[in-house]
């Protein structure tokens, strides 16, 4: 599942194409839409048509797959010895560690590479060499249902204790999910990390070493178990069985009082007529010092050659106009400085500005670790058990730490 977790429902389908060009480049991309009407196929078809009209000797063949399938599809192609020229998916480090990817510095022009937001460029590095190009980004805010809050006479929480007080009042009013806690396998790693950050912890320590079972993390999950889940404030579905997409749908249906959300939730709520507010994520004692930041990645495989053609096409993909178009189409944050400045200065993007303001100081997943894919999978599989009534946060986090150390050593 993507770091952004924007699950879609469309199966793969090529866009672009033709057989009269001198060079054909293949791109496998993820779908950020929620159906045929807003499928990423349309975005890529338009972009490819514009590029090919100025480059008649290059054909771009794009296949778009849902987030449920795209990472697996690329892995199957790589395992079969037939990787695409480019892939826009959720992680890059494993392919980089196998020596399969072009260095970004060998592909992009200097102005384009320098335009990436610095913390995202650094997150795209393995051993201080950039292989992953950020493609889309998001941060998180606490969304709350304004109507439900008004009916209960509540103001948005700033601390964990205030969040519990709000959840208790919403529960007393019969709200189905006072606080939706999606720790199901779709995107448990995101909800978990946001809570760990709000408790002054995280997946790694300041030196980048895994610290999943830190004292701070154990205390955070123990608080979640006792104060939210144990008090029946997280709704009828066990957190370990509640996926992010289900939680978002429930919020858009008016059944959720509060949840952590990224920008795409705004459009979902608007379409269903839900009045919502957004505030910084509450922390143990106040506003969370560091918000979760998530990026999805573009990478280019070496096997088929065509380095110059790939680089020229990606320079076009990362132009200010195209980055802005994609970000606005899917309510995501731009990954370049130029597009970020344009969005920050534009009146049409004022609602997304709180997310944009968080990005420079946000905390990313440890995506530069080749072990992250395996650790991520283990977190998704196990973390829900830590907050079950009677569950053992220390035990679960200890198991995850041991698995992370093993995966790191193997890598």
């Amino acid at each position: 599942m993507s770091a952004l977790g924007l699950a879609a429902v469309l199966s793969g389908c090529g866009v672009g194409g033709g057989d009269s060009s001198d060079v054909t480049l293949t791109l496998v991309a993820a779908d950020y839409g929620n159906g045929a009407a807003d499928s990423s196929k349309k975005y890529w078809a338009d972009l490819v048509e514009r590029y090919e009209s100025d480059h008649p000797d290059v054909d771009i063949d794009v296949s778009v797959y849902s987030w449920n399938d795209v990472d697996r599809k690329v892995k199957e192609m790589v395992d079969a010895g037939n990787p695409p020229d480019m892939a826009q998916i959720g992680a890059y480090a494993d392919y980089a560690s196998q020596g399969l990817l072009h260095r970004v510095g060998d592909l992009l022009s200097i102005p384009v590479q320098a335009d990436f937001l610095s913390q995202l460029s650094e997150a795209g590095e393995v051993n201080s060499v950039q292989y992953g190009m950020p493609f889309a980004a998001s941060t998180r805010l606490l969304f709350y249902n304004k109507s439900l809050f008004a009916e209960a006479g509540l103001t948005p929480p700033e601390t964990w204790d205030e969040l519990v007080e709000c959840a208790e009042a919403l529960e007393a009013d019969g709200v189905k999910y006072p606080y939706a806690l999606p720790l199901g396998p779709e995107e448990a790693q995101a909800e978990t990390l946001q809570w760990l950050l709000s408790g002054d912890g995280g997946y790694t320590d300041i030196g980048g070493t895994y610290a999943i079972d830190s004292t701070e993390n154990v205390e955070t999950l123990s608080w979640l178990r006792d104060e939210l889940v144990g008090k029946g404030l997280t709704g009828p579905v066990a957190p370990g069985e509640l996926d992010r997409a289900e939680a978002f749908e429930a919020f858009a249906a008016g059944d959720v009082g509060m949840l952590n959300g990224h920008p795409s939730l705004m459009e979902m709520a608007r379409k269903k007529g839900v009045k919502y507010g957004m505030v910084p994520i509450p922390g143990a004692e106040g506003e969370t010092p560091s918000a979760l930041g998530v990026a999805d990645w573009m990478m280019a495989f070496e096997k088929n050659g065509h380095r110059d053609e790939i680089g020229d096409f990606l320079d076009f993909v990362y132009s200010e106009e195209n980055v802005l178009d994609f970000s606005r189409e899917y309510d995501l944050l731009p990954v370049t400085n130029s597009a970020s400045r344009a969005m920050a200065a534009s009146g049409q993007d004022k609602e997304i500005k709180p997310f944009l303001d968080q990005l420079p100081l946000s905390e990313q997943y440890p995506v530069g670790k080749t072990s992250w894919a395996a650790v991520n999978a283990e977190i998704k599989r196990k973390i829900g058990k830590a907050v079950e009534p009677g569950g053992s946060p220390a035990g679960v986090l200890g198991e995850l730490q041991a698995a992370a150390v093993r995966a790191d050593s193997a890598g």
Side-chain angles (χ1 to χ4, degrees):
M1 186 60 58
S2 155
L4 291 180
L6 307 181
V9 296
L10 299 180
S11 60
C13 179
V15 299
D19 54 12
S20 61
S21 58
D22 297 327
V23 173
T24 297
L25 301 179
T26 55
L27 166 63
V28 174
D31 200 326
Y32 290 79
N34 291 304
D38 64 348
S39 170
S40 296
K41 296 173 188 177
K42 292 185 175 182
Y43 172 82
W44 286 111
D46 173 73
L47 185 146
V48 165
E49 181 180 5
R50 288 186 285 117
Y51 182 81
E52 290 180 343
S53 69
D54 292 331
H55 301 81
D57 57 337
V58 178
D59 179 77
I60 311 294
D61 184 6
V62 185
S63 296
V64 177
Y65 294 88
S66 79
W67 276 113
N68 293 328
D69 300 319
V70 67
D71 287 333
R72 174 181 54 80
K73 180 64 176 178
V74 172
K75 184 177 187 303
E76 289 172 353
M77 296 172 72
V78 172
D79 290 347
N82 186 34
D85 293 292
M86 295 163 283
Q88 185 271 299
I89 53 177
Y92 68 88
D94 193 38
Y95 297 127
S97 69
Q98 297 175 52
L100 301 178
L101 301 181
H102 286 289
R103 297 179 179 213
V104 175
D106 294 336
L107 291 171
L108 301 181
S109 65
I110 292 175
V112 172
Q113 185 178 8
D115 197 26
F116 288 129
L117 295 170
S118 60
Q119 81 276 20
L120 296 181
S121 288
E122 292 171 5
E125 294 178 354
V126 173
N127 297 325
S128 300
V129 177
Q130 187 179 358
Y131 295 96
M133 292 161 274
F135 185 74
S138 74
T139 58
R140 299 294 196 271
L141 291 171
L142 181 74
F143 281 70
Y144 65 96
N145 185 308
K146 283 188 172 181
S147 299
L148 296 178
F149 265 61
E151 291 170 9
L154 301 173
T155 56
E158 297 180 0
T159 67
W160 286 359
D161 287 345
E162 291 176 4
L163 187 146
V164 169
E165 292 172 3
C166 289
E168 289 175 336
L170 292 167
E171 196 270 339
D173 278 357
V175 176
K176 188 173 182 180
Y177 293 90
Y179 179 87
L181 182 66
L183 296 179
E186 179 196 346
E187 205 190 15
Q189 83 286 356
E191 181 75 11
T192 300
L193 181 53
Q194 183 58 78
W195 274 100
L196 299 184
L197 291 172
S198 69
D200 204 26
Y203 289 141
T204 57
D205 60 22
I206 194 169
T209 300
Y210 282 117
I212 297 174
D213 61 348
S214 69
T215 300
E216 294 83 0
N217 292 347
V218 172
E219 290 177 351
T220 294
L221 293 192
S222 297
W223 184 91
L224 274 176
R225 178 197 61 191
D226 298 338
E227 300 300 322
L228 279 181
V229 182
K231 292 181 178 179
L233 301 177
T234 54
V237 180
E241 298 174 5
L242 181 66
D243 282 337
R244 193 271 315 161
E246 295 174 88
F248 276 23
E249 290 169 3
F251 186 86
D255 292 332
V256 175
M258 300 172 284
L259 83 172
N260 294 332
H262 52 59
S264 70
L265 183 55
M266 296 188 298
E267 181 64 17
M268 290 180 66
R270 280 195 296 264
K271 285 181 177 179
K272 294 295 183 69
V274 171
K275 296 180 180 179
Y276 61 89
M278 302 179 300
V279 294
I281 304 291
E285 304 296 334
E287 181 180 329
T288 297
S290 181
L292 167 65
V294 176
D296 292 332
W297 301 93
M298 178 75 77
M299 64 211 71
F301 289 87
E302 288 186 329
K303 183 169 184 180
N304 301 326
H306 308 314
R307 184 187 70 181
D308 292 344
E309 291 86 355
I310 293 171
D312 188 74
F313 175 65
L314 290 176
D315 274 358
F316 180 70
V317 169
Y318 283 104
S319 69
E320 179 181 324
E321 175 189 359
N322 288 329
V323 173
L324 275 174
D325 285 348
F326 183 84
S327 301
R328 286 168 171 161
E329 175 67 24
Y330 297 106
D331 285 323
L332 294 167
L333 303 181
V335 296
T336 62
N337 289 292
S338 59
S340 295
R341 286 192 296 268
M343 187 172 277
S346 171
Q348 78 180 88
D349 302 305
K350 62 182 179 180
E351 195 171 29
I352 209 168
K353 193 174 185 302
F355 297 96
L356 195 63
D357 291 342
Q358 287 188 328
L359 190 57
L361 298 176
S362 62
E363 181 85 13
Q364 306 289 315
Y365 299 124
V367 291
K369 288 179 172 288
T370 58
S371 57
W372 171 242
V375 175
N376 183 21
E378 282 295 288
I379 292 170
K380 290 178 177 181
R381 190 168 69 88
K382 292 183 175 180
I383 199 67
K385 298 176 183 177
V387 300
E388 294 176 350
S392 171
V396 172
L397 292 177
E399 292 175 8
L400 291 172
Q401 176 69 13
V405 171
R406 288 195 299 269
D408 223 19
S409 299

